[in-house]
Amino acid sequence: LPVRPLPAKEEVDAYMSTHDRDAHYVNITGLIHAYMCAAADVYASGNPLPTEKPLPVSVVTLGDAVSFCPVPYELFSEICLRIRRHGPCRHNLALSITNGFEAYLPTKDAVSRGGYEVDCFCYGNVAALDDNTDTVLVQHFLRILRAMDRT
């Protein structure tokens, strides 16, 4: 899955110059603080951030009747509906929060509107997923499902 680039080094430096690294913030403010501290660490290390995050999946189909597409994210319903509508089986089911839990996975449209789940998605990990991850994920699952032999 595509990883979003870090904020500009100048933005991270400006944030760090006005916030104590050891401060104890809570909720989304704490999440953003941890993200900015981690971004500062990445810049200080000189190591590049990966541009992709691997997502191992185990897609299961029962003939052409049912497909199961598990992910360790809490998917927004629109993503599940796209897989359901466009998958090749009669019943295509996206399974959220399977094999662990990473974060919420909103649609690109939801990212533009913001909110709690979007903030968790954007700041939950220094290697946060890109805004268009929903489209990439759906295309990935549809490609796998169409390639599987359902005979």
Side-chain angles (χ1 to χ4, degrees), residues 67-71 73 75-77 79-84 91-98 137-138 141 145:
S67 71
F68 299 102
C69 302
V71 293
Y73 295 92
L75 299 175
F76 275 39
S77 60
I79 299 168
C80 300
L81 291 172
R82 280 188 261 159
I83 291 171
R84 180 181 292 177
H91 304 284
N92 302 282
L93 304 172
L95 307 175
S96 291
I97 315 174
T98 55
L137 181 75
V138 170
F141 274 125
L145 288 169

Side-chain angles (χ1 to χ4, degrees), residues 12 15-16 23 33 77 98 100 113 122 129-130 134 136-137 150:
V12 174
Y15 177 90
M16 296 307 294
H33 182 70
S77 60
T98 55
R113 291 191 309 267
C122 292
L129 298 176
D130 199 45
D134 64 315
V136 172
L137 181 75
R150 288 174 301 284

